[in-house]
Amino acid sequence: MKVYIKTYGCQMNERDSEALAGMLIRAGHEIAQTEEEADVLLFNTCSVREQAERKAIGKIGYMKKLKAHKPELIIGAIGCMAQRKGEELLRELPHLDFVLGTGQLHKLVETVEALRRQRKQLALTAESDDVLTEMGTHHTPAGSPGWHGQIAITRGCNRFCSYCIVPYVRGREISREQSDVVAEATALAAAGVKEIMLLGQNVAAYGLNGDTNPPPDDHSPFADLLEALNAVSGLLRIRFTSPYVSYFNRRLIEAMAKSTKICHNLHLPLQSGSDRILKAMNRQYTRESYLQKVADLKAAMPDITFSTDVIVGFPGETGEDFDQTREVMNFVNFDNAFIFKYSPRPGAKSASMSDDISQEVKEERNQILLADLKSRVEHNLDHLINTVQEVLVEGVSPRNAERFTGRTVHNRVVHFEPDATLQPGTLRQVKITRINAVSLFGELLPEQGR
Ligand code: 5AD
Ligand code: SF4
């Protein structure tokens, strides 16, 4: 069968879709490039904000037309919204054939094959740990994983931030065995992968068995894992997302600083800079303790850069609370930020609070933070003009076929003209000549030793 997969939401969903594509191919199926040529349509959904759910429901609804012309078409919703809504989704969208929740993704192939033999509506939403180990496969259309590979090391979350649906739709936090992760990284490196991205909803809590109390200063299974991965030959860079600030203890910070492949660029969700709002969000840190961790990280890695997630318009957020968020963002000098307008999620704790900040105020605060970000980034990038940056070459620029792109260790995209020897997945030096919005442009320097 030809299977088309559309993915919404986060990197974990992208990783899941990639793993599912690998499983389907190994079972003898094909990945379709368009909806029209497919025998099976899969929608890997997100529940984090209402808008993400609405988009997927709209899209699946629209597929009714396609199915009217092609009754044998199998349509499935998988992932977070599938988990949250379960059978309700089958009632809402009667042309939907199946729903597969986050704990049942590894059952995709058998589900699709069973439905081909016998048509009926099916919802599988039980929680299961098997998904963690069984989703460790990689696939790209060309058959090789390319220069970049993502590895899911934890799944689920035990933190229960009051606004967040993740603990309800992704279940309890579970970690893979270190040996299993290292084996996957080694296999990826042997297949030519140069950069790995470790994924988890609460990635730095890796190996803590779901304990929400950050460990003592000398203990960090995540640091042990990073050191083991740093020793995998062939890998050039290691990144991870998203860590929760409280887990950056001495052991982890030291391991990051001394492991040469760990990129000094951290996505460190702040959510709010106001202690009052952080408390209402059930975040386990204060503005001061967040800033202290940032200071500790900067002391150990002076070149480190940060990006973040922030929510504007959380229930009860006053202008003063918002100003504090703005202040912290400028103080940390975040190089990138994802700013979200608060969206109440059914089942999450904050859904019982009044969503009292108007859409206009949320939008206004969003725009202010975006403008701050723009001027910070311009300022930070300006300093890079005339410097030489090491980039990991990614390939031909999607916007301009005559240019290549690469990425600095600090996650900045650099555009440059290629030379005859240029290969994706290699490290090259580029002299930065100009900037444009969030990108850098430069001249490729000759390869060393040539
Ligand atoms: N409303 C708005 N943003 C949210 N996020 C999570 N839940 C919500 C919500 N209910 C944001 C957080 C998180 C990111 C992935 O999505 O900032 O870090
Ligand atoms: Fe959601 Fe908080 Fe867990 Fe992140 S740490 S996934 S925001 S509950």
Side-chain angles (χ1 to χ4, degrees), residues 177-411:
E177 292 295 329
Q178 181 174 309
S179 55
D180 191 24
V181 178
V182 173
E184 190 178 342
T186 307
L188 284 175
V193 165
K194 303 295 179 195
E195 175 180 284
I196 53 171
M197 172 68 99
L198 307 176
L199 297 177
Q201 269 82 34
N202 185 8
V203 78
Y206 171 81
L208 294 172
N209 302 318
D211 189 350
T212 50
N213 293 311
D217 246 339
D218 58 352
H219 179 60
S220 170
F222 185 54
D224 302 342
L225 175 69
L226 290 181
E227 286 175 350
L229 292 172
N230 196 61
V232 172
S233 67
L235 291 182
L236 299 173
R237 288 180 176 178
I238 301 170
R239 300 182 189 273
F240 54 87
T241 198
S242 281
Y244 191 95
V245 67
S246 317
Y247 296 85
F248 285 91
N249 60 9
R250 198 182 61 229
R251 165 85 184 105
L252 177 53
I253 294 176
E254 282 174 7
M256 279 184 71
K258 74 170 203 279
S259 303
T260 51
K261 296 176 187 172
I262 313 284
C263 293
H264 290 182
N265 172 254
L266 261 194
H267 185 69
L268 200 60
L270 169 68
Q271 312 299 0
S272 169
S274 149
D275 284 346
R276 212 175 63 79
I277 297 295
L278 286 170
K279 195 155 180 233
M281 288 177 162
N282 194 27
R283 300 288 286 181
Q284 207 181 19
Y285 53 87
T286 58
R287 163 198 177 95
E288 194 189 327
S289 63
Y290 183 98
L291 289 173
Q292 184 57 53
K293 292 291 182 198
V294 166
D296 294 347
L297 285 155
K298 282 184 176 169
M301 292 164 275
D303 67 321
I304 196 167
T305 58
F306 296 93
S307 59
T308 199
D309 288 346
V310 162
I311 298 176
V312 291
F314 185 82
E317 185 188 65
T318 61
E320 215 169 290
D321 293 318
F322 171 70
D323 286 344
Q324 289 180 14
T325 300
R326 205 174 162 194
E327 221 177 83
V328 174
M329 289 183 78
N330 285 326
F331 184 79
V332 178
N333 190 16
F334 287 114
D335 221 22
N336 197 5
F338 299 92
I339 299 151
F340 302 104
K341 287 174 268 180
Y342 173 71
S343 149
R345 307 307 297 128
K349 293 250 162 48
S350 69
S352 61
M353 304 174 190
S354 146
D355 181 16
D356 56 355
I357 310 299
S358 69
Q359 211 41 47
E360 294 80 71
V361 171
K362 285 179 185 168
E363 188 51 43
E364 187 190 333
R365 292 178 183 171
N366 181 31
Q367 290 305 328
I368 291 172
L369 294 186
L370 286 175
D372 284 355
L373 176 67
K374 186 166 178 276
S375 62
R376 266 200 316 273
V377 170
E378 270 167 16
H379 181 260
N380 291 346
L381 292 192
D382 233 17
H383 282 281
L384 296 179
I385 292 181
N386 288 328
T387 65
V388 173
Q389 298 288 321
E390 185 172 69
V391 305
L392 184 61
V393 178
E394 298 190 348
V396 178
S397 160
R399 297 225 183 105
N400 181 343
E402 278 163 27
R403 287 210 188 100
F404 265 55
T405 62
R407 214 170 273 260
T408 69
V409 91
H410 296 116
N411 216 16

Side-chain angles (χ1 to χ4, degrees), residues 29-262:
H29 302 290
E30 277 177 67
I31 299 304
Q33 300 308 316
T34 64
E35 292 155 5
E36 288 73 22
E37 60 170 313
D39 306 303
V40 180
L41 296 177
L42 281 184
F43 297 92
N44 194 358
T45 60
C46 171
S47 270
V48 168
R49 283 167 296 278
E50 197 194 345
Q51 204 194 357
E53 287 200 349
R54 250 194 271 130
K55 251 197 206 163
I57 290 182
K59 179 78 181 175
I60 300 170
Y62 191 65
M63 293 298 114
K64 196 173 169 181
K65 271 193 192 160
L66 208 58
K67 195 158 176 172
H69 293 296
K70 198 172 170 184
E72 71 281 10
L73 186 66
I74 297 175
I75 307 182
I78 63 173
C80 291
M81 182 177 63
Q83 182 71 35
R84 190 176 86 73
K85 293 195 145 197
E87 290 189 354
E88 185 191 329
L89 206 54
L90 294 179
R91 286 192 292 275
E92 217 173 298
L93 299 161
H95 62 291
L96 192 60
D97 295 283
F98 73 97
V99 159
L100 212 55
T102 49
Q104 297 289 314
L105 294 175
H106 57 296
K107 302 253 179 75
L108 176 75
V109 174
E110 60 184 81
T111 305
V112 169
E113 288 175 353
L115 284 177
R116 182 164 57 163
R117 289 191 299 272
Q118 191 189 5
R119 301 303 295 260
K120 60 176 175 192
Q121 274 196 318
L122 195 69
L124 298 178
T125 53
E127 227 181 275
S128 154
D129 290 2
D130 296 344
V131 74
L132 191 65
T133 41
E134 295 204 18
M135 297 284 284
T137 58
H138 288 80
H139 149 80
T140 58
S144 87
W147 58 270
H148 177 85
Q150 299 186 323
I151 303 181
I153 66 164
T154 72
R155 276 180 189 269
C157 184
N158 284 5
R159 300 219 55 97
F160 291 93
C161 300
S162 66
Y163 51 81
C164 187
I165 193 93
V166 168
Y168 305 93
V169 290
R170 286 237 175 223
R172 296 291 55 74
E173 191 175 284
I174 42 177
S175 300
R176 278 168 83 178
E177 292 295 329
Q178 181 174 309
S179 55
D180 191 24
V181 178
V182 173
E184 190 178 342
T186 307
L188 284 175
V193 165
K194 303 295 179 195
E195 175 180 284
I196 53 171
M197 172 68 99
L198 307 176
L199 297 177
Q201 269 82 34
N202 185 8
V203 78
Y206 171 81
L208 294 172
N209 302 318
D211 189 350
T212 50
N213 293 311
D217 246 339
D218 58 352
H219 179 60
S220 170
F222 185 54
D224 302 342
L225 175 69
L226 290 181
E227 286 175 350
L229 292 172
N230 196 61
V232 172
S233 67
L235 291 182
L236 299 173
R237 288 180 176 178
I238 301 170
R239 300 182 189 273
F240 54 87
T241 198
S242 281
Y244 191 95
V245 67
S246 317
Y247 296 85
F248 285 91
N249 60 9
R250 198 182 61 229
R251 165 85 184 105
L252 177 53
I253 294 176
E254 282 174 7
M256 279 184 71
K258 74 170 203 279
S259 303
T260 51
K261 296 176 187 172
I262 313 284

